[in-house]
Amino acid sequence: MSQKGLTGFVVEYIAKRRQTRLDTFDKDAAKRLNGADATLESQVLQERRELEQRYETQAWLTDAASRAGQISLVTHAAKFTHGDAKSSSIFTQTETQDGYLSTSTLAKPVADAVGNAAALDVARLLQTEVDGDSLLACLKRGDDSVLKSLAESDAQLALWIDGFSRALTTKQPTSHKLAKQVYVPVGEGYHLLNPLFSSSLAQAMHQRMVALRFSEESKAAWQARRDKKWHPQPLVVFPNTAVMNFGGTKPQNISALNSSRGGRVWLLSSAAPQWEVQDKPPLGSKTIFGQGPFERHTRQIRRRLTDLLIKTGDYNNVVIRRQRDSYMDEIIDILFNVAADIQRRDWAGWTQNEKCQLKTHQKLWLDPWRAETDASFLNERDKDEWQEAVADDFALWLNSYLRRAELKVGQTERREWQTKPLFRRRLREMEQAIRSYHNA
């Protein structure tokens, strides 16, 4: 990043604010001077000169540095809990990949500003990025070159650095009666937790959703859909979202980012999925892995799995493997939920229907209650050989899907899918439940 670029931004930022104030002043002055005498004209000119002086670069930076202590740059803001809460807000920047969506999963969380709304102009000065850098980042790493190029003396530079650094200073943490704290019993006492809303995470979600909903690329994709034409960009839909509003008519009183979002925070649906119960056995299906409930319910998770594998390519580490295994486990869970829905006792013997086209081993798996009246069927089920064939069907189906996505998979991956621990455990648990019922 060029220091000249960031220095130029600071000068331009102050100049724009000066011009805005002067425009407002001139409009008001025109009304005041309508038919006024020379004395008032002289007074107005003096006020205008004083306003210009206040917005000279060095003078404005000195004033801004003195006001910086009225705000705090944070990731978690207390006033989202309650607008009148006086508890501390905090800034935290830790990175982790634990599989959960949280502030720590953000590579570069955006800092929010809380405090006196009249000093939010200082926050914007510190936070605005130019070529990937900002005054805030400079202060964090102890780089004073931008401010030094604008200061008239070392004393003035020290004054600015000390003042602006107060926005980063973590004051003594305090709580408040409106903080909605949680008491957790520990030993013979309690540990007190103060849950704080992550404005940085809300901002990251807001930016992502705005881009996916309203960007020019998304608009073009939606238009192509309406015109029933192909478009290279996939459409991303957020069903059943809700909106929570913070701050009422004055969202700036909560935080700067809340004001930029108009006080709105989108909430994603956390309702349990509506499971489609089959109303009849899959007589026309040749395999459970063909078109049907399993294909439909795994469509999104399969897409995420292929996106991960395409994105990472041959690169592999524990984080990638953990994410891949998470997707695989979700697919396996869906498979056994679909299978359990088919294994109904009131459908016992449905695989004897002449219309049933399933492979023999899938019949043995999906129609377990037929064994109560069909001795030869029971003997075949007890051999457990069909379980290996079911696992192989699953592996072949997944490999076939990945190949359609132009991924190179073969015998190695096939063996890995066949031997997934969760797949084996689900099969074992399902069989134990059925046999327990038989023996009861």
Side-chain angles (χ1 to χ4, degrees), residues 113-327:
V114 298
N116 186 358
L120 292 181
D121 58 330
V122 181
R124 284 190 288 273
L125 173 75
L126 294 172
Q127 292 175 278
T128 302
E129 288 193 356
V130 178
D131 298 335
D133 205 357
S134 65
L135 277 180
L136 176 61
C138 289
L139 288 172
K140 285 182 180 179
R141 65 174 183 263
D143 181 0
D144 63 0
S145 56
V146 175
L147 293 176
K148 188 173 183 178
S149 65
L150 297 172
E152 295 176 331
S153 65
D154 291 342
Q156 188 177 62
L157 174 62
L159 180 67
W160 291 350
I161 293 174
D162 178 65
F164 288 130
S165 296
R166 291 177 187 176
L168 301 173
T169 303
T170 302
K171 304 172 179 64
Q172 180 63 35
T174 58
S175 186
H176 190 259
K177 61 183 180 181
L178 298 176
K180 299 182 181 179
Q181 292 183 303
V182 177
Y183 290 83
V184 180
V186 177
E188 297 181 358
Y190 290 90
H191 185 74
L192 192 57
L193 300 179
N194 189 349
L196 290 175
F197 181 91
S198 175
S199 186
S200 296
L201 181 59
Q203 183 70 8
M205 289 182 60
H206 178 84
Q207 291 172 338
R208 181 75 180 275
M209 292 175 72
V210 165
L212 291 171
R213 281 177 161 178
F214 309 118
S215 67
E216 292 302 320
E217 293 83 359
S218 293
K219 290 178 182 178
W222 278 109
Q223 186 60 50
R225 184 176 187 269
R226 287 190 289 270
D227 296 339
K228 297 182 179 180
K229 296 180 180 178
W230 179 85
H231 194 276
Q233 177 172 318
L235 286 175
V236 180
V237 180
F238 300 91
N240 303 320
T241 54
V243 176
M244 182 176 284
N245 290 283
F246 294 93
T249 59
K250 297 181 178 179
Q252 70 273 15
N253 288 343
I254 303 298
S255 78
L257 289 181
N258 186 61
S259 180
S260 71
R261 296 190 293 264
R264 297 185 302 275
V265 171
W266 282 320
L267 304 178
L268 301 179
S269 175
S270 58
Q274 293 291 327
W275 191 256
E276 296 178 16
V277 178
Q278 292 200 173
D279 57 357
K280 57 184 179 181
L283 292 174
S285 301
K286 294 182 179 180
T287 172
I288 191 177
F289 301 103
Q291 291 184 353
F294 178 62
E295 279 274 355
R296 290 196 302 273
H297 291 307
T298 58
R299 187 172 295 126
Q300 294 298 326
I301 189 65
R302 283 186 283 123
R303 186 174 298 159
R304 291 196 289 271
L305 174 61
T306 54
D307 287 346
L308 172 70
L309 296 178
I310 291 171
K311 181 180 178 180
T312 55
D314 295 331
Y315 187 69
N316 196 4
N317 60 29
V318 66
V319 176
I320 295 171
R321 290 193 298 273
R322 189 179 297 142
Q323 185 63 65
R324 183 201 62 191
D325 290 343
S326 175
Y327 291 150

Side-chain angles (χ1 to χ4, degrees), residues 50-76:
E50 291 175 356
L51 180 60
E52 289 177 331
Q53 290 172 357
R54 286 204 303 273
Y55 278 86
E56 289 179 354
T57 301
Q58 286 75 20
W60 190 90
L61 284 173
T62 299
D63 176 68
S66 69
R67 293 184 290 122
Q70 300 174 26
I71 58 171
S72 296
L73 297 177
V74 300
T75 53
H76 297 69

